[in-house]
Amino acid sequence: MRARSAALVRFGWVLPLAIAAVVCLLPWLGTEVQFQREVMLAAMYGLLVAGFNLSFGYGGQLAIGQVAVFAGGAYTTAILYKHGVSELAIAIVASMVVAALLGFITGLPGLRFSSWAVALVAFFLVMAIPNVVQIFAKQTGGVIGIPGILGPHLFGQALSAEAFFVAVIVLSALCLLLLRNLVESRYGHSLLILKQGAPLARSLGLSSFRLRLSAYVIAGLPAGLAGALYAYYATFVQADIFGFSLVTLLLAASIIGGVNSMWAAPLAAAILVIGPEQASSFNKYSVLVYGIILMLAGAGFSIGLAGVGRKLLARFGLHPGSVAEEQSIAAHAGEAPADLRIAGEPLVTHDVAKRFEGVEALKGVDFEAKPGEVTAIIGANGAGKTTLLNAISGHISADRGDVLLGERQISALRTDQIAKAGVARTFQTPQIPESLTVLEIAASSRISRRWMPTAAIALRSPGFRRLRREDNEAARAALEFVGLAEQADMPAESLPLGMRRMLEVARSIAAEPSVILLDEPAAGLDPEAIEYLRAVLVRMRDAGGTVVLIEHNVNFVMEVADSVYVMNLGEVIANAAPEEVRQDERVIASYLGRRAAVAGPAAPAGPPTGPGSMEVSDAR
């Protein structure tokens, strides 16, 4: 079953390209010219939908400005034609350059503000098309537009109607293939991570600014290509073409096809184009019809055609998510790679302070964690534990103080730079992006370790393939280390809480970090799962890791920690071995209480034995 799923993932592009090859034969199969034109229009609109899916389905940005970018590409081609340039290759390159610039302009607000700012700017751009056309009427033809765009050439050769049809289908299919390669790679995974939340992206060494910027620019390229093809398809360019009827078609097609799919984009566009185009009165009611389709699809068909396809594949055991049934990780507790080492480095903070609106969250904290040890931080809510972790990892900037990783000063670095320097962390609530497998989540921590050009990713270069193999090998080793090897091909979002916490630990280990910060990893786990977590932390320590643990479960901390720091109201009140801390009068008074201090560690639970062994405990 795994072999079939792997083959499907590896060669999943063959069927769509084979379909495109068959479509290219339509002019010679006796089909009507009108039908051929509808197929071409669906292919071009499919490019618009695919670009929108990249920015919205993956990047989480509602960039409906694809229509404005489409118009930019079409007008660029038409203006070139007016000046005697009928070479399609030149028109495509020029249109895609204009599209990249428009995508950049559209996305600028999203670099600093919310995704709604992007949507508003895109909405304005669509509204502004008629006005811009009028302002530059000398070049654009104003209300009349630019007619008579005939006779395209490709590399100096005049294209017949049949040859142009083939060019449209081939170029659209190749563009979709490149986009598919992007989204099914570390680049697409980066966008999904950013969609989950900027803090997660930065903690994995990813730059939110660069990711958003690249997504806006790349998403505009297929719209630019579509615009260049459309100008020769329609033989004229006029502002009325690029209105809100097209915007609603774009949104409806994206939802019907599925916002996380490239191949379904032209299919969904075809559903909304072929047929309606044959009704002469359709344009009068197109906005209403597309709006109704949009509402119905959003209400009852949220997974889209692509989602339906994935479910059918999963039912027949062909989708990666159905490769392995969920099993207890306890069965693999002793199967961690014996040679896996974690190159820990000392982590030291000196006089770290942070104030929030008059409240001193940290009051000059001195802290040290050593390789080959688990260093725990305990204290009541509001003691400053997570604030200290956030200051170390760069999620907040300390008002003063130093943070040293080995001999490197990291306190002045950005969050993504600190992550690249070797600081990995988990969160109180596991951050697991949707639509990724367990293996992909584990491998995602390595995305920032080595930069790979976007073109190399899209073209699946030998360097990209080698890097992906290395990432997957490291990810599998990390999953084995925490006992999740059997779940590698499962959808990560299907895991229960305990396994999600283990997956975050595996993600941290796969990055080969210098220090691992764990924020309440035992919260909500049942006794069996807590015992398994303890075993994993001990193995991390024995593998040479520098492990920093924040935890409220005192018995768990006393069992696993080599050194314990106790914080109260933003300052360290004790630092010693677990048993010494348990007897410290200040700790007893501020946090433990007399009963907890005299009680020994709870008897360890037996190993998890069933499929639900990592589920959430009802008792907190």
Side-chain angles (χ1 to χ4, degrees):
M1 189 179 295
R2 287 191 177 187
R4 285 186 294 167
S5 297
L8 183 68
V9 171
R10 188 171 183 180
F11 301 107
W13 53 271
V14 174
L15 180 59
L17 290 189
I19 294 173
V22 173
V23 171
C24 285
L25 299 176
L26 289 180
W28 294 276
L29 295 178
T31 56
E32 295 181 358
V33 173
Q34 177 61 25
F35 180 73
Q36 295 173 30
R37 290 183 60 80
E38 291 170 2
V39 170
M40 283 194 289
L41 188 61
M44 289 180 277
Y45 284 174
L47 292 175
L48 290 181
V49 176
F52 176 77
N53 285 354
L54 176 66
S55 60
F56 179 62
Y58 284 83
Q61 303 297 314
L62 192 59
I64 60 174
Q66 292 290 317
V67 172
V69 179
F70 179 51
Y75 270 104
T76 298
T77 299
I79 291 170
L80 285 173
Y81 187 84
K82 270 181 59 176
H83 289 81
V85 180
S86 61
E87 174 58 51
L88 185 59
I90 295 176
I92 288 173
V93 171
S95 296
M96 292 178 77
V97 169
V98 170
L101 291 173
L102 287 174
F104 176 80
I105 294 171
T106 304
L108 274 177
L111 300 176
R112 296 297 181 191
F113 305 106
S114 69
S115 60
W116 287 110
V118 179
L120 288 174
V121 170
F123 185 82
F124 168 77
L125 283 177
V126 176
M127 288 186 62
I129 290 174
N131 300 93
V132 173
V133 167
Q134 279 297 101
I135 292 171
F136 298 98
K138 187 175 180 180
Q139 291 78 27
T140 64
V143 177
I144 297 174
I146 304 176
I149 309 170
L150 305 170
H153 291 71
L154 187 59
F155 305 123
Q157 299 295 317
L159 292 179
S160 63
E162 294 81 6
F164 181 69
F165 177 89
V166 172
V168 169
I169 302 303
V170 169
L171 289 171
S172 299
L174 290 177
C175 185
L176 291 174
L177 175 60
L178 294 178
L179 288 173
R180 171 262 185 192
N181 287 350
L182 277 180
V183 299
E184 294 187 7
S185 71
R186 49 171 34 206
Y187 180 78
H189 299 168
S190 298
L191 292 179
L192 290 173
I193 290 167
L194 180 60
K195 185 179 179 181
Q196 174 74 20
L200 174 62
R202 291 194 292 267
S203 73
L204 297 178
L206 302 173
S207 168
S208 301
F209 180 92
R210 292 177 183 174
L211 269 177
R212 286 198 177 104
L213 181 60
S214 67
Y216 298 137
V217 172
I218 293 173
L221 297 180
L225 170 61
L229 297 173
Y230 184 85
Y232 280 107
Y233 159 85
T235 71
F236 73 96
V237 175
Q238 194 176 36
D240 291 346
I241 300 169
F242 312 103
F244 283 98
S245 173
L246 188 53
V247 172
T248 53
L249 184 150
L250 167 66
L251 295 174
S254 177
I255 291 177
I256 289 174
V259 296
N260 288 90
S261 173
M262 296 297 140
W263 292 129
L267 176 59
I271 292 173
L272 298 181
V273 169
I274 299 175
E277 280 292 311
Q278 297 180 12
S280 58
S281 61
F282 177 76
N283 286 337
K284 187 185 301 183
Y285 308 103
S286 59
V287 174
L288 176 62
V289 173
Y290 291 145
I292 293 173
I293 292 173
L294 183 60
M295 289 188 292
L296 293 176
F301 198 53
S302 58
I303 62 175
L305 294 173
V308 172
R310 294 187 188 105
K311 285 184 176 293
L312 289 175
L313 290 173
R315 175 166 294 185
F316 290 101
L318 293 174
H319 189 266
S322 66
V323 168
E325 294 182 357
E326 189 169 339
Q327 300 175 12
S328 169
I329 65 173
H332 309 282
E335 297 180 7
D339 59 346
L340 193 151
R341 300 293 300 169
I342 304 173
E345 291 188 75
L347 173 69
V348 178
T349 73
H350 175 65
D351 194 31
V352 172
K354 182 65 180 179
R355 180 185 292 269
F356 295 106
E357 297 181 354
V359 177
E360 284 189 285
L362 297 176
K363 303 175 182 178
V365 174
D366 294 331
F367 172 81
E368 180 178 7
K370 301 176 182 178
E373 292 186 2
V374 175
T375 305
I377 307 174
I378 63 174
N381 289 331
K385 306 182 299 297
T386 297
T387 303
L388 179 60
L389 246 64
N390 287 337
I392 292 171
S393 57
H395 287 279
I396 62 172
S397 298
D399 297 330
R400 71 167 190 271
D402 300 313
V403 180
L404 298 174
L405 181 60
E407 298 181 354
R408 293 166 292 171
Q409 172 70 262
I410 64 172
S411 55
L413 301 180
R414 299 192 310 267
T415 308
D416 58 303
Q417 294 173 326
I418 292 173
K420 290 179 182 178
V423 176
R425 70 165 296 175
T426 66
F427 296 85
Q428 291 181 2
T429 301
Q431 300 294 302
I432 306 297
E434 297 179 355
S435 305
L436 294 179
T437 66
V438 170
L439 179 66
E440 290 167 344
I441 293 288
S444 66
S445 63
R446 300 177 59 84
I447 293 174
S448 64
R449 286 173 54 85
R450 272 180 54 190
W451 179 78
M452 176 65 61
T454 305
I457 297 174
L459 295 171
R460 291 293 198 261
S461 69
F464 164 78
R465 295 177 183 276
R466 182 169 57 252
L467 185 58
R468 182 173 61 176
R469 185 168 57 251
E470 293 172 0
D471 289 347
N472 287 343
E473 288 174 356
R476 288 191 183 278
L479 291 174
E480 284 188 48
F481 191 89
V482 303
L484 283 176
E486 287 298 317
Q487 285 75 26
D489 297 312
M490 290 179 59
E493 57 194 315
S494 69
L495 297 180
L497 175 63
M499 288 187 176
R500 289 185 176 211
R501 294 198 185 280
M502 287 295 101
L503 179 53
E504 280 207 319
V505 173
R507 180 169 63 193
S508 298
I509 293 172
E512 301 178 23
S514 300
V515 61
I516 301 177
L517 312 177
L518 306 176
D519 197 351
E520 299 191 29
L525 301 187
D526 61 29
E528 293 178 324
I530 289 175
E531 174 59 19
Y532 184 77
L533 175 62
R534 185 197 67 79
V536 170
L537 294 184
V538 169
R539 282 162 44 193
M540 291 169 62
R541 176 195 66 193
D542 294 344
T546 303
V547 182
V548 178
L549 170 68
I550 287 181
E551 187 51 63
H552 281 290
N553 187 324
V554 175
N555 286 337
F556 174 70
V557 168
M558 297 305 175
E559 289 178 0
V560 75
D562 298 286
S563 175
V564 179
Y565 283 76
V566 184
M567 296 186 66
N568 184 49
L569 299 177
E571 58 186 350
V572 175
I573 61 173
N575 168 32
E579 284 307 314
E580 294 178 47
V581 165
R582 189 186 289 273
Q583 304 304 321
D584 190 293
E585 291 295 331
R586 293 171 300 175
V587 178
I588 294 172
S590 68
Y591 184 56
L592 292 182
R594 185 66 58 183
R595 179 179 298 178
V598 299
T609 56
S613 61
M614 297 297 283
E615 291 284 2
V616 185
S617 171
D618 290 332
R620 296 296 297 263

